[in-house]
Amino acid sequence: MRQAGTHAVYVLYVVSLSAFFASLNQNIYSPVIPLVRDVFDVSLHSVNLTVSLFIFITAVMQLIFGPLIDLKGARKVLIPGILLAIGASIGCALTSNFVLFTIFRSLQAVGTAAVPVIAAAAIGQLFTGSERGRAMATYQMLLSVAPAIAPVIGGVVGGAWGYSGIFWFLAGTSVLLLAMNLLFFPKDKPAAARSLNLHTMINHYRSIMRNRTGGAVLTLGFLAFLIYFAVLVYLPVVLTDHYRLSLALVGLLYVPAAGSTVAGSLLFKYLQTRRPLPQLCWLFNAGLALASAGFALTHSWTLAGMSAALVVIGICIGALSPLYATMMAGEFEDSRASAIGGYNFVRYIGMAAGPVLLSWCLAIISPLEFFLGLGLLLGVVFMLWLRLLQAGSSKSAEGVDLSRS
């Protein structure tokens, strides 16, 4: 699948757009959740459950699709996945039964879950060296924009055509993506024609975890997204309860957070051609740890200081996402999709764990202690992994550690 030139660029934008629209599926109907509740005459808790179920299924399917793609080939997984998403979106639009709606929504999650794994793995195969880092940054930048844009699109489409209009929109965009991928996504022959079973999957992920770089990325990626989503969930609480801001102003303060993640991806795209990846890993993990501590110290003292800490956190997350994906793609040449799938899985688990851990801990400790503790934990864990990474050999062209435990 390794190609160069114009076709590789076409594939980059096709898979990036595919991942962008796949991400829209997760957040696009958030603005019409009350409408869905009223149309199906169910509780708000039941509707929110479909949101959580979508995220959970997406996370778990990362672990399944990764080895499946490595063994069977990306195109053989991608095309059926998009077809499933099209059918599930149409089902969501047509059904008047909430149980069926939940089933179709779950199938939609299964269909779209393969896209981010395939996109990152394809970029890893099509590009090498600094070109891979630039391509990964472009992909992650589009991906980071989706959660901010999705509710806006959902609000416009849902306001005009109701909740079913949102799913017809998703079905239509999926048909468009199917056509683009059929035209441009390259045919792929997997490295080994083996069957997928539980033993094979366990061996895949055991080897990734035992690898120094793989273990570091999975551990640090989990902590990074746990911190980020704990901050995002706590932000409206402190803005409304402590600073007494209106909901409109609270919403506006999320704009710098979203914009800073895009800026972080662009910063990584610039720096990765000038600095080795381990140095960037050190820089952005240290920045995230210090910014978490800064958020802890300023959140109840100064709005400007808290906003500055929030921007730094967003920049670090925006840079770490393509950085970690690039490291995994460079390290695991023969099981790249499994490595990317494992990384995506810990990201989703970190996203889910952050708000839960926040609610548990705030019952017994203060927000200052919680976020300061998270910053300290990230710093300590990163220093421990740094010592392990430095103990192994490095791949000079990629700046990625190749030692295996």
Side-chain angles (χ1 to χ4, degrees), residues 239-260:
L239 290 176
T240 55
D241 292 352
H242 183 75
Y243 289 101
R244 304 296 180 185
L245 298 183
S246 67
L247 290 178
L249 287 175
V250 170
L252 285 176
L253 283 174
Y254 274 93
V255 175
S260 61

Side-chain angles (χ1 to χ4, degrees), residues 333-351:
E333 295 288 343
D334 297 326
S335 55
R336 186 176 285 118
S338 298
I340 297 294
Y343 167 59
N344 285 342
F345 173 76
V346 300
R347 282 202 308 162
Y348 284 117
I349 296 301
M351 293 175 191

Side-chain angles (χ1 to χ4, degrees), residues 78-95:
L78 176 63
I79 302 305
I82 297 176
L83 287 170
L84 179 60
I86 293 171
S89 297
I90 294 172
C92 287
L94 292 177
T95 186

Side-chain angles (χ1 to χ4, degrees), residues 356-367:
V356 174
L357 186 64
L358 174 72
S359 61
W360 285 350
C361 290
L362 291 191
I364 54 176
I365 62 175
S366 69

Side-chain angles (χ1 to χ4, degrees), residues 285-310:
N285 273 287
L288 182 58
L290 291 173
S292 178
F295 182 84
L297 295 170
T298 61
H299 75 276
S300 62
W301 176 50
T302 165
L303 188 58
M306 183 187 70
S307 299
L310 188 63

Side-chain angles (χ1 to χ4, degrees), residues 3 32 103 261 274 336 368 405:
Q3 302 176 38
V32 294
I103 292 173
T261 59
R274 293 162 174 80
R336 186 176 285 118
L368 186 150
S405 300

